[in-house]
Amino acid sequence: MGAALIFLEAYDRHGDSLLDRIVTGDETWVKQANCETKLHSMQWGHTSSPKRPRKCLQTLSPKKIMPTVFWNRQGVLLIHFLECGAPINSERYYQILRNLSKAVQNKR
C-alpha cells in the first residue's frame, strides 16, 4: 500500500513523464512449433501421390526456449531468448540487464 501511495504522489508531481521512465518485463517457457508448409508437403510427395498441396501441419518440438521481453510505454525494448538447459544465474541476468540498459539508452 505504501509503494502505491509513493507512486501516486510521484505521478502527481511529474505527470505522464513518469510513465515514460517505467520499464517492465516478463519471461515464460515456450515450446517451439515445427510447421510444414504447403510447399514442403508437395516436395516430399511420392511420384504416384496426388499433386494437391496439403495444409500446414504443425507439431510441437520437445525443445523449449524462454523469451524474456522488456517493454515500456512506447513499446518493446528488448527480447532475449534462452534455450532449454542453459544455466540461469546471476551472470546471465547481469548480462541481460546490461543489454536492457543499452536498449533504453538507444530509445531515449
Side-chain angles (χ1 to χ4, degrees):
M1 209 48 192
L5 184 59
I6 292 170
F7 178 77
L8 287 174
E9 289 171 353
Y11 183 75
D12 282 340
R13 280 194 308 274
H14 302 288
D16 283 347
S17 67
L18 175 70
L19 300 178
D20 292 332
R21 295 183 286 178
I22 296 175
V23 174
T24 189
D26 196 16
E27 58 191 27
T28 187
W29 285 106
V30 177
K31 287 190 176 185
Q32 294 177 339
N34 298 327
C35 185
E36 184 180 78
T37 64
K38 290 181 182 182
L39 182 61
H40 290 120
S41 297
M42 287 174 39
Q43 291 174 349
W44 290 102
H46 189 268
T47 55
S48 63
S49 65
K51 299 294 183 192
R52 191 181 64 166
R54 294 180 296 181
K55 291 185 179 178
C56 181
L57 175 66
Q58 287 190 349
T59 59
L60 290 178
S61 169
K63 289 185 176 182
K64 294 191 296 185
I65 56 172
M66 181 173 40
T68 304
V69 182
F70 295 95
W71 65 93
N72 66 3
R73 188 173 168 182
Q74 282 80 34
V76 175
L77 296 169
L78 177 70
I79 301 175
H80 180 267
F81 294 98
L82 179 68
E83 292 191 15
C84 187
I88 302 172
N89 53 27
S90 60
E91 180 61 35
R92 186 169 302 275
Y93 276 116
Y94 174 74
Q95 190 62 40
I96 292 171
L97 291 176
R98 286 188 65 196
N99 292 343
L100 176 61
S101 176
K102 291 176 187 175
V104 169
Q105 288 175 358
N106 289 341
K107 284 283 185 172
R108 290 185 182 165

